[in-house]
Amino acid sequence: MSSQLVLYTNHQHSSPYVLSAYAALVEKNLPFELKEINLTTGEQHSGDFTRLSLTARVPTLVVGDFSLAESSAIDEYLEDAYPAPGHTAIYPADLQLRARARQIQAWVRSDLGALREERPTSIIYGTKNPNSLSKNAQRACDKLLAVAGSLIDKDGNNLFGAWSIADVDLSVMLNRLVANGDTVPANIRKYTERQSSRPSIQSWWKLPH
């Protein structure tokens, strides 16, 4: 297998989906090159990139002559291609817990749109939003906190004992609230801050925005 890995990101380094793939690569200690695509100018629709990325989206991972888009597909590919014990596992070994991790990943990508709109990931590293949530966004917030509250213990530990990539995806969604100063339960705040302190996550937010 070729060791040449390239991860394409949006040039603002703000995508939580790229972050998921980026964290998977870093946690597995895989050397890779990070290349930027300017989404605001439509670079993702250029011929060069569409020939590379089946869905013309970031993240796109290139491994030698193989390329793959969509962050959860990339995460699962990396887990299969670079498994434990040679590389850090990013999914639980238990079948049901692994399925739950994938469920969380799928859910945060497909739901809570109103909350994502009013609390974008740029809040984590940039300007906060002082406005209260709209009715729809508050409903999404309540759902997020209810789900998180059912999964996170009182001490804010990892979801499944050992860290997994689902911790990245859930914590980034929660950090839209925590970083903005919105009210969240203490255990969820502790969990979010603990996940945010991981070197793989810190190194991402230190990239130019």
Side-chain angles (χ1 to χ4, degrees):
M1 180 179 296
S2 171
S3 60
Q4 181 183 1
L5 285 82
V6 179
L7 182 67
Y8 283 84
T9 176
N10 67 316
H11 74 287
Q12 296 171 315
H13 304 108
S14 60
S15 168
Y17 313 117
V18 179
L19 169 53
S20 184
Y22 174 93
L25 287 161
V26 174
E27 295 284 349
K28 284 186 171 293
N29 198 29
L30 294 168
F32 66 98
E33 180 182 359
L34 196 62
K35 289 189 176 182
E36 299 176 5
I37 292 291
N38 192 327
L39 304 184
T40 60
T41 63
E43 189 178 359
Q44 70 273 27
H45 302 302
S46 67
D48 287 345
F49 190 65
T50 56
R51 282 189 291 272
L52 191 66
S53 176
L54 182 64
T55 54
R57 305 214 301 175
V58 296
T60 290
L61 178 72
V62 178
V63 186
D65 58 1
F66 173 71
S67 62
L68 184 67
E70 308 304 324
S71 57
S72 56
I74 292 170
D75 291 343
E76 293 184 28
Y77 169 80
L78 291 171
E79 183 75 326
D80 291 339
Y82 305 96
H87 299 274
T88 300
I90 62 171
Y91 284 98
D94 177 83
L95 178 64
Q96 293 185 351
L97 293 182
R98 177 180 288 238
R100 183 70 73 202
R102 287 170 169 164
Q103 178 188 24
I104 292 166
Q105 288 189 289
W107 175 60
V108 298
R109 285 160 171 75
S110 61
D111 199 359
L112 312 173
L115 179 60
R116 289 200 301 269
E117 183 176 341
E118 296 182 26
R119 297 294 186 267
T121 53
S122 58
I123 277 174
I124 296 172
Y125 60 83
T127 304
K128 312 309 178 188
N129 186 347
N131 298 321
S132 299
L133 294 169
S134 67
K135 183 181 295 186
N136 285 340
Q138 185 62 56
R139 188 178 298 116
C141 174
D142 293 343
K143 183 177 183 180
L144 172 62
L145 294 179
V147 171
S150 72
L151 295 168
I152 298 169
D153 67 21
K154 62 182 179 62
D155 296 317
N157 293 310
N158 296 326
L159 296 177
F160 308 116
W163 172 89
S164 78
I165 198 67
D167 286 301
V168 173
D169 294 349
L170 181 61
S171 68
V172 170
M173 179 60 75
L174 290 166
N175 208 10
R176 297 167 186 262
L177 300 170
V178 173
N180 195 58
D182 294 302
T183 300
V184 302
N187 65 320
I188 292 178
R189 179 177 297 276
K190 186 181 296 184
Y191 166 81
T192 303
E193 292 173 347
R194 174 170 290 148
Q195 298 302 326
S196 298
S197 70
R198 291 187 73 86
S200 60
I201 307 305
Q202 289 191 335
S203 68
W204 169 261
W205 293 122
K206 289 178 181 177
L207 293 170
H209 297 291

